[in-house]
């Protein structure tokens, strides 16, 4: 049984398509297991970070002019 497990993981990790699908499935499971509130907070944080960073760059460019 242990040898079969090793062969399975070796095949999974060496095959790019299988590895990508496996990782995507793990990500989906992770998302599904979170509460709606956790997802909303994460979404809000991800949406806010790029905007703040872009605003900081714009302010720096304006102050240099």
């Amino acid at each position: 049984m242990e040898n079969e497990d090793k062969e399975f993981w070796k095949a999974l990790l060496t095959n790019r398509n299988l590895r990508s699908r496996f990782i995507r499935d793990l990500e989906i499971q992770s998302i599904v297991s979170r509460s709606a509130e956790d997802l909303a907070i994460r979404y809000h944080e991800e949406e806010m970070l790029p905007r703040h960073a872009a605003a900081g760059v714009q302010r720096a460019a304006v102050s240099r002019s």
Side-chain angles (χ1 to χ4, degrees):
M1 184 70 165
E2 186 176 319
N3 194 28
E4 291 175 5
D5 289 344
K6 287 180 184 178
E7 291 299 319
F8 168 77
W9 287 109
K10 182 178 178 183
L12 178 69
L13 295 174
T14 56
N15 185 312
R16 186 176 182 175
N17 290 333
L18 290 177
R19 186 175 61 236
S20 296
R21 288 173 55 193
F22 181 72
I23 291 170
R24 185 183 66 235
D25 289 349
L26 287 176
E27 290 171 344
I28 290 169
Q29 285 180 350
S30 174
I31 290 169
V32 169
S33 67
R34 293 185 188 138
S35 71
E37 184 178 351
D38 291 341
L39 291 173
I41 291 169
R42 181 174 177 188
Y43 176 76
H44 177 71
E45 290 171 351
E46 288 176 354
E47 285 295 309
M48 297 303 289
L49 288 175
R51 290 182 186 149
H52 286 303
V57 170
Q58 283 181 333
R59 276 187 248 129
V62 169
S63 65
R64 288 184 194 152
S65 302

